[in-house]
Amino acid sequence: MNLLPKTHEEFATVDYWNTFFKKRGEKAFEWYGEYLELCEQIHKYIRPNDKILMVGCGNSKLSMDMYDSGFKDITNIDISAVAIKKMQEANARTRSDMKFIQMDATSMSFDNEQFSVALDKGTLDALFVDDTEGTQKTVEAYFKEIARVLRNGGRYVCISLLQEHILKYIIEYFPKNAFMLRIVHCPDADAANQEKNLENPDAVSMPVFTIVATKFKSLPMPILEFSYTSDKVQRCKSALDLQNSVKSLQTAAVVCNGLGRTDVVGHNDVSIDLCRPGENVARYTVHIVDQPPARGLGKYAVFLVPQGREVEWLFATSKGRRKLLEQSKFQRMAVVTLHREQSYLSMDEVKAELSDSVKSFAPVGLKDQIPYLSIGADMGTRTTLFKGKSDISGDFVVEEVEGSDGKTFRRLIFMSNQAVVQSEALIKKGKGNGINGSKNQDNIDFGYLACQHHAYMSLGVQLIAESQEQMIKILVIGLGGGGLCMFLHEAVGNIDITAVDIDPAMANVAEKYFGLQQDERLHVVIEDGLQFLNYCRKEGHKYDAILFDVDSKDLTLGMSCPPPSFMANDVLLNLKSLLNESGLFILNLVCRDDTLRDQTIGDLKTIFPSVCSYKLDEDVNEIIYCTNNEKFKKLSVWKKCLGSSGRKLNDLTKKKKLCKDEVLDVTEFLSELKI
């Protein structure tokens, strides 16, 4: 029999409660938890010698359990005469001095300041059924009565689910009426409710909170506090901070309930940031990814990504994490990344910290121990070399991380997009000239191309370079850490590179930390790329190749590289005029919007006689080659010329001892090249 009301308005009616308790009979009904699940908060905020008013007692055993635990001065009231009669009969012999009185909590007959504690388990939620004016008047009358019967320094202790309208109201009401307000999470009650709901697949367990409102004659300023766990209280700077603390727990509960009862197969994985209590900075990010059930698959596992490796494709992208899940043979996986600016003592500490959280992401009813997976036995290391702030790029860091095989990588990370490595260099340990000629320092390996797309941009430059004996002029828009420019400088001898970047901070970082060295064949211009192109047109400059490798600062756009303004029709016409007759425009395109991508390709085809492209396998990058040269109208010509150039580039880098392995797979490249 369904004993819950059909509509929430019934919660506030006398008839509803009388009918409810008749149906329940002698069985107690515990809203939000029983004594054992709430005793931590009860014993912290209520003393045994307090004079306690239990508001809306119903037939709950809470006051009986409290009485048996030493709280002897308890007066219980309820609007339902049926409930009061049953409680009087149940306690007449064993708890004869505990009072049960039928009374409306919005109009009590007690004297002023008669109680030191008013305890409310679910009554506020029952009264505050909606946000209408009539309901608010009822709640205000209730709170005025609570304030009237409480002594100065007394506490209103209320167990509630804190629906949004209730949360907003109490955050405004209590400070305005000289109450100090603290909201405390009740994790034991949460756990008990979740356990009960295992029997009901449609039930949703929401977090349980204790409102602790302490009465004062006056307060010089609002005092708002939040406690995620009983041992740590956080002072909130504003009402919004307190509201957000509660809502973040409620949102997480909705997500976890949903994850427990269904999966995200066929959808993007669910990502959740985890913070320590009282902190707003994420300590971990958990990505939940699912695959369809199949024979031989485990139910659930946690994968800990070592520090520094969270930017790799396998861990940084939804597609990569799905591949990781398939390889690990589990139906669900929580892929956990560790954040920079955080300290982690050991893998065991990380597991202990995560143990409760990862359980909440498990499928409902999972009883097995949750396995932890990772790469290797340690959690990796990350060292911050430099923190900076650019007027254009915002906060950034230069850091070193330990990769596989004992290799050390130096990275430039923009804090606005921490999952993306803006520049990366491989450090060569050993003696010799280091950065900027210093002795016995770490060397930058200029043969290492961290970004796969740089290899295919370099291929285009090699195509132009081998067609001419004299020095060719290359324009690169977007310097970053200078890795592409230094690779071209070292690998291809007959080139003169002009690199343009709008951000002076990036040029300084490239020189100081990534080994960028300007000379007669490489110089850097600090200028807006589009303005520099206009300047070149006015001055009559010509280039053999122009490379666009510049990202957008607006992460909401469907095309993150280049910024849409760089693909405007007048810019493309300008590019066409700046290229020599056999020149090549090479574009690194990163576009997640298929319509926008097709439009960009269409615009390029209206400007240049010949356009071909190569889509990188694991990345979202696509390299577009555009030329004025009529001979490249056929795909076979592109394949013949680029194939030859690819093999020469591989040979050249080995000959110059820049690379032991091939820079690119020519066969695979040619098979995917499209016109």
Side-chain angles (χ1 to χ4, degrees):
M1 181 182 295
N2 180 15
L3 301 179
L4 293 177
K6 294 178 181 178
T7 59
H8 61 267
E9 287 83 359
E10 294 177 2
F11 267 59
T13 66
V14 176
D15 289 342
Y16 166 74
W17 288 112
N18 281 330
T19 304
F20 179 90
F21 288 114
K22 285 178 181 176
K23 287 181 179 179
R24 291 292 299 187
E26 302 301 322
K27 187 176 180 181
F29 185 76
E30 300 298 343
W31 295 101
Y32 314 148
E34 301 181 27
Y35 171 73
L36 288 177
E37 297 143 12
L38 299 169
C39 65
E40 184 176 6
Q41 284 74 35
I42 289 171
H43 283 267
K44 184 169 184 177
Y45 297 108
I46 305 175
R47 298 181 297 272
N49 61 347
D50 274 324
K51 188 173 179 64
I52 303 165
L53 171 64
M54 179 73 73
V55 189
C57 63
N59 67 344
S60 169
K61 290 180 60 186
L62 181 60
S63 62
M64 292 183 271
D65 290 333
M66 288 178 63
Y67 184 94
D68 295 343
S69 299
F71 299 91
K72 299 301 183 183
D73 193 344
I74 305 177
T75 299
N76 301 269
I77 66 169
D78 198 279
I79 198 170
S80 170
V82 175
I84 291 298
K85 184 179 180 182
K86 286 183 178 295
M87 293 298 276
Q88 288 171 339
E89 292 171 353
N91 292 279
R93 295 180 60 188
T94 55
R95 305 175 188 89
S96 57
D97 54 341
M98 188 160 63
K99 305 177 189 70
F100 291 90
I101 306 170
Q102 194 272 327
M103 190 181 294
D104 184 349
T106 65
S107 180
M108 293 186 275
S109 57
F110 300 118
D111 294 338
N112 293 347
E113 299 187 357
Q114 186 170 336
F115 300 97
S116 56
V117 170
L119 180 56
D120 168 344
K121 185 162 78 87
T123 299
L124 175 62
D125 290 11
L127 289 173
F128 214 153
V129 292
D130 54 37
D131 202 21
T132 61
E133 184 179 351
T135 299
Q136 287 196 25
K137 284 183 178 179
T138 300
V139 172
E140 186 174 6
Y142 172 55
F143 282 163
K144 281 183 177 179
E145 283 294 273
I146 292 293
R148 183 182 66 79
V149 301
L150 275 180
R151 299 167 183 168
N152 190 46
R155 289 170 170 167
Y156 170 60
V157 180
C158 172
I159 313 300
S160 170
L161 295 183
L162 284 181
Q163 290 174 275
E164 185 174 6
H165 63 281
I166 298 177
L167 177 62
K168 286 182 178 179
Y169 189 87
I170 67 164
I171 287 177
E172 180 182 353
Y173 181 87
F174 284 116
K176 188 170 66 176
N177 289 276
F179 278 79
M180 171 185 165
L181 178 62
R182 177 181 295 176
I183 296 178
V184 183
H185 177 225
C186 306
D188 291 341
D190 288 359
N193 288 339
Q194 289 167 7
E195 188 70 25
K196 292 172 187 173
N197 285 341
L198 291 179
E199 301 171 5
N200 182 2
D202 298 321
V204 175
S205 299
M206 294 303 292
V208 179
F209 298 94
T210 300
I211 302 166
V212 183
T214 306
K215 177 184 173 181
F216 292 95
K217 289 183 178 179
S218 65
L219 285 174
M221 65 182 69
I223 300 177
L224 302 169
E225 295 178 336
F226 180 74
S227 178
Y228 179 72
T229 56
S230 60
D231 59 344
K232 189 164 186 177
V233 177
Q234 160 194 353
R235 180 67 60 89
C236 299
K237 295 179 181 178
S238 67
L240 184 61
D241 284 346
L242 179 56
Q243 187 172 324
N244 287 341
S245 295
V246 173
K247 289 177 73 173
S248 66
L249 270 177
Q250 292 171 329
T251 301
V254 171
V255 172
C256 292
N257 274 287
L259 287 172
R261 289 164 171 78
T262 186
D263 57 52
V264 292
V265 175
H267 301 276
N268 288 334
D269 41 2
V270 174
S271 299
I272 303 165
D273 285 337
L274 300 178
C275 308
R276 279 176 167 166
E279 297 179 1
N280 293 321
V281 179
R283 183 161 172 81
Y284 303 97
T285 295
V286 183
H287 305 278
I288 307 297
V289 57
D290 287 319
Q291 62 177 326
R295 177 179 287 184
L297 291 183
K299 283 283 187 184
Y300 176 53
V302 178
F303 191 99
L304 299 177
V305 180
Q307 291 183 94
R309 302 196 65 175
E310 71 280 349
V311 295
E312 296 176 15
W313 176 83
L314 195 62
F315 312 120
T317 66
S318 292
K319 188 176 179 182
R321 291 188 287 266
R322 286 196 295 272
K323 183 145 185 104
L324 177 66
L325 177 67
E326 292 167 5
Q327 293 172 347
S328 57
K329 304 293 185 185
F330 283 90
Q331 190 174 330
R332 166 171 293 177
M333 180 175 285
V335 181
V336 182
T337 59
L338 286 60
H339 279 239
R340 55 182 51 83
E341 305 297 327
Q342 296 282 342
S343 176
Y344 307 92
L345 297 178
S346 67
M347 190 67 86
D348 288 338
E349 180 212 39
V350 169
K351 292 177 182 178
E353 263 193 326
L354 288 169
S355 60
D356 287 337
S357 296
V358 296
K359 287 176 187 174
S360 65
F361 305 134
V364 167
L366 182 72
K367 300 294 184 183
D368 301 335
Q369 185 174 357
I370 301 171
Y372 283 83
L373 312 175
S374 189
I375 301 174
D378 60 53
M379 58 188 177
T381 58
R382 189 201 316 267
T383 304
T384 299
L385 301 181
F386 179 71
K387 294 181 183 178
K389 185 168 186 177
S390 157
D391 293 337
I392 296 167
S393 304
D395 293 329
F396 64 87
V397 296
V398 178
E399 62 186 21
E400 283 189 358
V401 298
E402 295 293 332
S404 57
D405 303 325
K407 293 179 179 179
T408 301
F409 298 95
R410 185 169 295 167
R411 291 172 177 164
L412 170 64
I413 306 286
F414 292 161
M415 302 308 288
S416 61
N417 194 10
Q418 297 186 40
V420 175
V421 176
Q422 295 298 321
S423 295
E424 180 179 88
L426 176 63
I427 303 298
K428 295 191 297 185
K429 301 286 185 179
K431 294 183 178 181
N433 289 336
I435 298 174
N436 298 327
S438 57
K439 299 290 184 180
N440 299 323
Q441 287 190 1
D442 295 334
N443 291 285
I444 300 296
D445 185 348
F446 295 126
Y448 170 76
L449 288 175
C451 302
Q452 192 184 11
H453 69 272
H454 282 169
Y456 300 98
M457 299 187 84
S458 300
L459 169 58
V461 174
Q462 175 62 29
L463 172 65
I464 299 299
E466 68 189 43
S467 66
Q468 303 180 39
E469 292 184 1
Q470 71 271 25
M471 192 74 73
I472 64 169
K473 292 182 67 177
I474 306 297
L475 177 62
V476 179
I477 307 294
L479 173 68
L484 172 60
C485 290
M486 288 307 299
F487 176 81
L488 290 171
H489 180 276
E490 298 298 306
V492 186
N494 60 323
I495 59 172
D496 177 3
I497 305 171
T498 299
V500 181
D501 202 290
I502 194 173
D503 194 343
M506 292 304 102
N508 293 332
V509 165
E511 289 188 334
K512 189 170 182 180
Y513 293 100
F514 291 89
L516 178 71
Q517 301 171 29
Q518 298 190 54
D519 58 18
E520 68 279 359
R521 292 198 299 115
L522 170 59
H523 63 284
V524 176
V525 176
I526 302 301
E527 178 65 271
D528 178 275
L530 296 181
Q531 292 181 13
F532 188 78
L533 290 173
N534 287 331
Y535 164 79
C536 291
R537 176 178 53 80
K538 292 176 183 177
E539 294 295 317
H541 293 307
K542 289 285 186 179
Y543 293 95
D544 296 290
I546 300 176
L547 285 65
F548 274 13
D549 189 27
V550 55
D551 66 318
S552 172
K553 302 304 178 188
D554 188 348
L555 302 179
T556 65
L557 300 175
M559 185 165 69
S560 57
C561 185
S565 58
F566 279 70
M567 290 289 98
N569 191 66
D570 59 331
V571 176
L572 297 180
L573 288 170
N574 197 6
L575 285 172
K576 181 181 175 72
S577 68
L578 291 174
L579 285 172
N580 288 321
E581 185 178 345
S582 298
L584 197 62
F585 170 51
I586 307 169
L587 169 66
N588 173 33
L589 179 66
V590 180
C591 189
R592 293 170 176 82
D593 184 325
D594 290 340
T595 302
L596 188 55
R597 182 261 177 199
D598 293 342
Q599 178 186 326
T600 301
I601 298 296
D603 292 343
L604 290 169
K605 289 168 71 175
T606 62
I607 302 295
F608 294 96
S610 184
V611 177
C612 78
S613 69
Y614 172 71
K615 181 76 168 63
L616 276 68
D617 181 35
E618 291 186 348
D619 296 328
V620 292
N621 303 69
E622 185 173 7
I623 304 303
I624 315 293
Y625 304 98
C626 309
T627 182
N628 295 324
N629 195 333
E630 295 283 346
K631 81 170 187 177
F632 283 96
K633 284 197 170 183
K634 291 184 178 180
L635 181 60
S636 58
V637 177
W638 278 111
K639 286 189 173 184
K640 179 181 178 182
C641 295
L642 286 173
S644 173
S645 298
R647 286 183 281 271
K648 286 181 182 178
L649 183 62
N650 284 335
D651 291 341
L652 231 113
T653 53
K654 288 180 181 177
K655 185 177 179 180
K656 293 188 176 185
K657 297 183 178 179
L658 284 172
C659 307
K660 292 181 181 178
D661 301 320
E662 294 185 338
V663 175
L664 50 86
D665 185 335
V666 176
T667 302
E668 189 274 337
F669 167 76
L670 294 178
S671 68
E672 297 296 325
L673 192 66
K674 296 177 182 178
I675 196 165

